[in-house]
Amino acid sequence: MSNEPSDQHRHEHQHRHEHQHRHEHQHPHEHQVLNPATEEVIATVPAATPEDVAAAVARATGAQRGWAALAPADRARLLRRFAAVVDDHIEELAALEVREAGHPIGNARWEAGNVRDLLDYAAGGAERLNGAQIPVAGGLNVTFHEPLGVVAVIAPWNFPMPIAAWGTAPALAAGNAVVLKPAETTPLTALRLAELALEAGLPEGLFQVLPGAGPVAGAALVEHPGVAKVVFTGSTAVGKGIMATCAAGVKPVTLELGGKSPNIVFADADIERAAASAPGSFLDNTGQDCCARSRILVQRGVYDRFMELLAPAVTSFVVGDPADPATAMGPLISAAQRERVRSYVPEDAPAAIRGEAPKGKGFWYPATVLEATGPGDRAAVEEIFGPVAVVLPFEDEADAVRLANATDYGLSGSIWTRDVGRAVRVSRAVAAGNLSVNSHSSVRYATPFGGYKQSGLGRELGPDALTAFTETKNVFISTEEQ
Ligand code: NAI
Ligand code: MG
């Protein structure tokens, strides 16, 4: 219990009978949070109504005025203190992420550390929101980066803790308030972060977390005229709807949507390294990763060798209890997500490689590698968001680039080659926001992150994240004699 959040609105459940009872007769204004590895109810949280949303936006509006009026150094100091409080609670936050999202404990610790690091990084930005002095005739011209006001962050369930912070940290640093709506399945880490913000001394109302249903609380937040910007991470379909709603209020949006990213293995690559990296690149987070390299493109001459190496690498990926430090892959988030994955690949469909998954309770799904029947294969072009990869052979560099770009998405991708020129050429030719060469890493808090095409709009993280939460004001001061 020491790992549980202490939010007074939340009721921890002790008895399974009570869980099952609640499960069947759930009050419309609350959500149950399940442990996806056991299907046990671990908490019940209230689901915000549109009235709750309006009250939160009003509180945030008040808090934002005071926050923006603080000296930049004071905002920076409070955000650094928030980072320090998060640092003191890494184990607790990681344990919560394990329980509500089913993430392996090692990954969950990284996620909590990412929140801390990003808060620290953004804090420094509060004092470096420099405008420009631009040479013009007849006067002095300067620009200011001014906060927008109240920012809505709509977070997903796949990386609930870090993605909650990606919008929040830079928005706060730039002088805004944040109202965050976590995903229905994963509200607990976000609620705990809001408590830790208060513990660190951030003003009441500045960072509020409102759990609730997407179409109710999420939609009310997006529509609210007091919300100046929306940051959304989730499905492409919902993202398009949010963008349309924002059009009515001419509100800026940042969208981080889906992906179907390529992992391109050239014949000149270190094939052993490429094959050793490939399982993590589509199995980490049980494939519920917008950057998952779920299309493995392999040059014809090394295809058989690569598949020989890939099979043991996939089947030895350790699946099981997320709390066990030896575990590399946990369950999917929910029964609904497992049904989505099964709709692409029934668990008994023929597969080139298939791993094991625990039987019984929990939303388990085995690691699966399919050989594409053709590039138009539904499983080869649509986001599955599960531990499933599709392998396709290619002939030459031009063919690899053509296949890599044959999707509506463009979030990330990997290129495996020892040829520097090719690495640069292919990196430039693939229409995606985050590419890595001889690596499958995509996310660093100090580098920009976001998608091309239908993978999104705008960038998070990196040096420009703060200015994305500001309006730029230009002021011209005449120097003519009065
Ligand atoms: P979703 O897009 O419905 O959920 C993401 C967030 O949006 C949640 O907080 C949800 O409550 C909220 N939301 C839903 N409808 C809303 C609305 N009308 N207005 C405002 N907020 C709303 O995603 P879902 O249905 O959980 O997952 C479906 C698929 O979406 C996944 O299989 C995956 O392909 C993709 N997805 C991609 C993510 C990414 O990292 N880019 C994250 C989550 C899902
Ligand atoms: Mg949905």
Side-chain angles (χ1 to χ4, degrees):
M1 289 302 285
S2 62
N3 284 330
E4 299 291 48
S6 58
D7 188 277
Q8 55 180 348
H9 304 303
R10 210 151 51 242
H11 316 290
E12 303 298 340
H13 291 282
Q14 305 287 342
H15 307 292
R16 284 214 74 211
H17 293 301
E18 191 186 352
H19 301 163
Q20 283 164 356
H21 175 79
R22 291 292 183 102
H23 204 49
E24 282 153 26
H25 309 284
Q26 196 164 346
H27 190 273
H29 295 313
E30 59 184 34
H31 284 294
Q32 291 183 321
V33 183
L34 301 187
N35 178 334
T38 63
E39 301 181 38
E40 280 169 353
V41 178
I42 56 170
T44 302
V45 297
T49 62
E51 295 71 41
D52 296 331
V53 168
V57 173
R59 267 198 307 279
T61 304
Q64 191 267 333
R65 286 195 200 103
W67 179 245
L70 285 181
D74 292 332
R75 286 208 304 271
R77 189 170 16 259
L78 284 164
L79 290 170
R80 281 193 204 100
R81 210 180 281 160
F82 187 10
V85 173
V86 168
D87 192 43
D88 290 339
H89 292 80
I90 295 283
E91 283 306 314
E92 183 201 330
L93 289 164
L96 258 188
E97 190 87 320
V98 170
R99 295 193 66 208
E100 76 168 336
H103 294 186
I105 180 65
N107 301 35
R109 285 193 185 107
W110 180 89
E111 291 171 46
N114 182 258
V115 174
R116 171 203 55 212
D117 293 345
L118 179 60
L119 282 166
D120 255 330
Y121 178 73
E127 293 188 271
R128 291 183 201 99
L129 264 176
N130 303 331
Q133 176 271 313
I134 299 168
V136 296
L140 172 67
N141 192 96
V142 289
T143 64
F144 298 89
H145 294 299
E146 300 189 341
L148 300 171
V150 178
V151 171
V153 176
I154 307 220
W157 44 262
N158 61 330
F159 290 105
M161 185 164 36
I163 295 179
W166 292 6
T168 301
L172 294 177
N176 303 279
V178 170
V179 180
L180 168 79
K181 197 209 76 66
E184 290 86 331
T185 42
T186 56
L188 301 183
T189 48
L191 284 166
R192 189 65 185 124
L193 286 173
E195 292 174 349
L196 297 179
L198 290 176
E199 202 176 310
L202 264 70
E204 290 275 349
L206 187 72
F207 170 42
Q208 298 173 63
V209 173
L210 277 190
V216 181
L221 196 52
V222 172
E223 279 163 23
H224 197 290
V227 166
K229 175 168 181 166
V230 178
V231 179
F232 171 78
T233 303
S235 61
T236 300
V238 171
K240 287 177 180 174
I242 286 177
M243 192 171 171
T245 304
C246 287
V250 199
K251 270 180 212 181
V253 278
T254 299
L255 302 174
E256 296 293 357
L257 309 175
K260 189 73 183 180
S261 298
N263 189 3
I264 311 171
V265 182
F266 284 98
D268 70 39
D270 180 335
I271 303 299
E272 279 74 20
R273 272 189 65 204
S277 159
S281 78
F282 75 94
L283 297 176
D284 280 349
N285 218 37
T286 323
Q288 303 163 120
D289 179 349
C290 47
C291 291
R293 273 71 165 161
S294 55
R295 285 189 303 147
I296 308 176
L297 312 180
V298 186
Q299 195 158 14
R300 185 84 66 189
V302 294
Y303 188 90
D304 292 341
R305 172 84 186 117
F306 181 83
M307 289 303 281
E308 264 170 41
L309 292 166
L310 184 63
V314 166
T315 53
S316 62
F317 213 78
V318 182
V319 185
D321 179 7
D324 182 340
T327 296
M329 184 169 108
L332 291 164
I333 190 69
S334 62
Q337 192 59 23
R338 186 166 59 186
E339 281 320 302
R340 230 184 102 85
V341 176
R342 282 176 176 159
S343 79
Y344 284 95
V345 195
E347 277 155 278
D348 55 3
I353 305 169
R354 180 168 276 131
E356 300 281 334
K359 307 275 181 276
K361 287 280 183 192
F363 308 120
W364 304 97
Y365 189 93
T368 303
V369 177
L370 308 172
E371 285 178 292
T373 52
D377 208 335
R378 187 169 160 252
V381 290
E382 293 181 21
E383 182 172 60
I384 298 177
F385 232 55
V388 181
V390 176
V391 198
L392 290 98
F394 69 84
E395 304 302 331
D396 54 17
E397 191 176 307
D399 194 29
V401 168
R402 186 183 56 75
L403 282 172
N405 288 331
T407 159
D408 291 335
Y409 292 117
L411 190 53
S412 66
S414 291
I415 298 147
W416 294 85
T417 176
R418 287 182 167 112
D419 178 335
V420 177
R422 164 171 284 160
V424 176
R425 281 193 306 274
V426 177
S427 300
R428 297 304 299 271
V430 173
N434 295 82
L435 295 166
S436 46
V437 174
N438 298 329
S439 158
H440 72 255
S441 100
S442 302
V443 171
R444 281 165 231 83
Y445 62 85
T447 59
F449 178 79
Y452 278 44
K453 303 195 282 188
Q454 296 199 16
S455 285
L457 188 68
R459 294 293 178 269
E460 299 194 87
L461 308 175
D464 300 327
L466 261 67
T467 48
F469 293 100
T470 64
E471 289 279 16
T472 301
K473 179 175 285 177
N474 192 70
V475 176
F476 170 78
I477 305 161
S478 169
T479 50
E480 277 173 31
E481 287 189 43
Q482 305 286 308

